[in-house]
């Protein structure tokens, strides 16, 4: 069995190599992404493991079919970078790793929220300037006095809700799947608008879809409690970034914790030191004093990296051996 692994990072190599040795699978690793220019490297392999961060070239699907490859195993929970209809038309199974470390993202969400609530960035800035005065601009609030709206109470959202509840917060939420609900912890609302209207912090934990693209826009922000905080550790396309920045500038929102930007592909995860940021909207986000931006690192723990690499390879192997996988998304 031979699997081609695209988009491998140095830290992932020993994990992939150990997995391959354990399962007696031959692997070939490349740092290059899967594109129409690199797909030829997959010729002669039985499967593909990938870490795609931008839309996959449409030319790739029929070429993989021509090479006899029946799947692409994505090493992430998100899979919106794939054209599922085109993949299915070419008999290509797309799989993901739906649960690799929900605790990592949940804990990160609460950490950034507390940083915003306690004005920690402002405090650190004052200290760097040797300003040790107590002034209202760095005065925080008590987290346990707040209402938290969790939008999407799935694997990650459940843990987020439990952690906030542990601080004494009132937790409300919106969840379309009744099976995900935890009524002993979350007070559910019938719509997103109802969930956000009285919340001090709104935290997003949804997969992207045609129905929620830019769902959090000017119209939605107008429904928020004035001075609320937005947390997005899910997917960038859920939020209209320009409208978010306007809401922060107007004071409708007091702060935002953003781990995923809707057009991050050219920049994340790359070292852009010394390079100009050409995306002016992204630059506004980076420079905004009310925003804590992090480069899609909410997931980034030892456990998550290991589980993502092994999860993708397990799915690839499963398709090669059985023709399908429980993690297929199309």
């Amino acid at each position: 069995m031979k699997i081609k692994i695209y988009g491998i990072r140095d830290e992932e190599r020993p994990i992939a190599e150990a997995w391959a040795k354990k399962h007696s699978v031959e692997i070939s690793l490349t740092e290059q992404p899967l594109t129409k220019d690199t797909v030829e490297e997959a010729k002669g392999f039985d499967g593909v493991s990938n870490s795609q961060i931008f839309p996959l070239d449409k030319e790739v699907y029929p070429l993989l079919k021509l090479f006899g490859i029946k799947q692409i195993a994505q090493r992430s929970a998100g899979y919106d970078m794939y054209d599922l209809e085109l993949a299915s038309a070419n008999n290509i199974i797309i799989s993901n790793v739906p649960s690799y470390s929900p605790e990592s993202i949940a804990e990160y969400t609460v950490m950034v929220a507390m940083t915003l609530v306690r004005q920690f960035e402002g405090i650190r800035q004052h200290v760097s300037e040797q300003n040790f005065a107590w002034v209202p601009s760095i005065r925080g609030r008590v987290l346990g006095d707040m209402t938290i709206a969790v939008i999407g109470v799935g694997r990650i959202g459940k843990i987020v809700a439990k952690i906030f509840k542990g601080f004494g917060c009132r937790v409300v939420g919106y969840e379309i799947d009744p099976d995900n609900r935890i009524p002993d912890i979350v007070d559910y609302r019938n719509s997103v608008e109802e969930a956000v209207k009285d919340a001090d912090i709104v935290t997003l934990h949804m997969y992207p879809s045609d129905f929620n693209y830019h769902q959090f826009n000017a119209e939605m922000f107008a429904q928020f409690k004035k001075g609320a905080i937005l947390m997005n550790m899910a997917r960038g396309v859920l939020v209209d970034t320009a409208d978010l920045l306007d809401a922060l500038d107007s004071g409708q929102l007091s702060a935002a914790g953003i781990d995923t930007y809707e057009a991050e592909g050219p920049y994340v995860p790359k070292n852009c030191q010394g390079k100009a940021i050409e995306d002016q909207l992204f630059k506004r986000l980076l420079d905004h004093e009310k925003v804590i931006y992090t480069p899609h690192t909410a997931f980034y723990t030892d456990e998550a990296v290991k589980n993502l690499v092994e999860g993708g390879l397990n799915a690839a192997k499963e398709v090669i051996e059985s023709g399908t996988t429980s993690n297929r998304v199309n």
Side-chain angles (χ1 to χ4, degrees):
M1 186 185 296
K2 298 171 64 177
I3 298 176
K4 180 70 180 181
I5 305 178
Y6 286 92
I8 197 79
R9 301 193 311 275
D10 287 343
E11 64 183 321
E12 296 176 319
R13 286 178 179 271
I15 302 171
E17 289 165 353
W19 180 94
K21 182 177 181 181
K22 177 181 178 181
H23 294 279
S24 301
V25 174
E26 180 182 339
I27 59 174
S28 174
L29 310 172
T30 178
E31 297 176 1
Q32 296 300 314
L34 176 58
T35 68
K36 61 184 178 181
D37 298 319
T38 62
V39 67
E40 288 285 335
E41 296 179 26
K43 188 180 295 185
F45 287 84
D46 303 301
V48 166
S49 170
N50 195 24
S51 184
Q52 196 75 13
I53 58 175
F54 50 83
L56 185 66
D57 296 334
K58 295 186 182 298
E59 297 90 336
V60 168
Y61 301 100
L63 287 171
L64 289 177
K65 180 181 180 181
L66 182 66
F67 301 158
I69 294 173
K70 302 185 186 308
Q71 53 74 236
I72 302 173
Q74 173 69 10
R75 300 193 303 276
S76 73
Y79 51 86
D80 51 304
M81 60 290 295
Y82 296 101
D83 185 328
L84 299 185
E85 290 187 8
L86 189 55
S88 296
N90 285 277
N91 299 319
I92 303 293
I93 292 172
I94 306 296
S95 63
N96 71 339
V97 186
S99 182
Y100 46 88
S101 181
E103 297 83 1
S104 298
I105 299 170
E107 291 171 5
Y108 194 92
T109 300
V110 178
M111 177 194 73
V112 176
M114 291 186 70
T115 300
L116 291 167
V117 167
R118 292 306 304 267
Q119 305 291 346
F120 191 71
E121 293 285 281
I123 293 169
R124 292 294 298 163
Q125 180 62 37
H126 280 211
V127 170
S128 71
E129 299 166 355
Q130 298 185 29
N131 178 0
F132 309 126
W134 297 341
V135 293
S137 63
I138 61 169
R139 189 175 64 213
R141 297 175 59 191
V142 174
L143 186 64
D145 291 341
M146 295 184 168
T147 296
I148 315 298
V150 180
I151 310 301
V153 193
R155 292 183 179 90
I156 298 166
K158 282 181 180 177
I159 300 172
V160 170
K162 289 175 182 177
I163 296 174
F164 276 120
K165 191 74 170 180
F167 279 98
C169 300
R170 175 177 176 240
V171 182
V172 300
Y174 175 75
E175 171 56 49
I176 59 174
D177 185 355
D179 293 338
N180 284 338
R181 295 185 176 180
I182 42 175
D184 56 323
I185 293 174
V186 178
D187 185 5
Y188 289 92
R189 297 291 184 264
N190 293 323
S191 68
V192 174
E193 289 80 3
E194 287 183 44
V196 306
K197 69 183 180 67
D198 295 320
D200 299 288
I201 298 174
V202 177
T203 181
L204 311 183
H205 301 284
M206 302 180 292
Y207 285 119
S209 70
D210 292 340
F211 302 104
N212 60 26
Y213 176 81
H214 279 187
Q215 183 176 11
F216 290 82
N217 55 20
E219 182 178 352
M220 181 65 75
F221 294 138
Q223 307 297 314
F224 278 41
K225 178 180 179 180
K226 188 173 179 62
I229 295 170
L230 176 72
M231 306 293 299
N232 185 16
M233 308 295 158
R235 302 296 287 184
V237 295
L238 300 175
V239 176
D240 185 316
T241 307
D243 286 357
L244 168 64
L245 295 172
D246 289 344
L248 290 167
D249 289 340
S250 71
Q252 177 62 19
L253 299 183
S254 65
I258 302 297
D259 187 58
T260 55
Y261 169 59
E262 57 184 306
E264 66 187 21
Y267 303 102
V268 179
K270 300 174 184 178
N271 186 343
C272 298
Q273 286 181 307
K275 299 179 181 178
I277 300 295
E278 296 180 359
D279 182 339
Q280 293 305 303
L281 185 60
F282 187 33
K283 194 170 188 313
R284 280 184 64 200
L285 185 74
L286 294 174
D287 294 341
H288 205 288
E289 63 179 2
K290 294 182 180 180
V291 174
I292 291 180
Y293 168 79
T294 54
H296 215 132
T297 48
F299 84 97
Y300 194 49
T301 60
D302 297 342
E303 293 80 4
V305 171
K306 182 176 186 292
N307 291 340
L308 283 167
V309 174
E310 293 181 349
L313 289 169
N314 286 335
K317 181 173 180 286
E318 191 179 1
V319 172
I320 294 166
E321 291 178 336
S322 71
T324 191
T325 171
S326 57
N327 289 340
R328 68 183 299 169
V329 296
N330 65 328

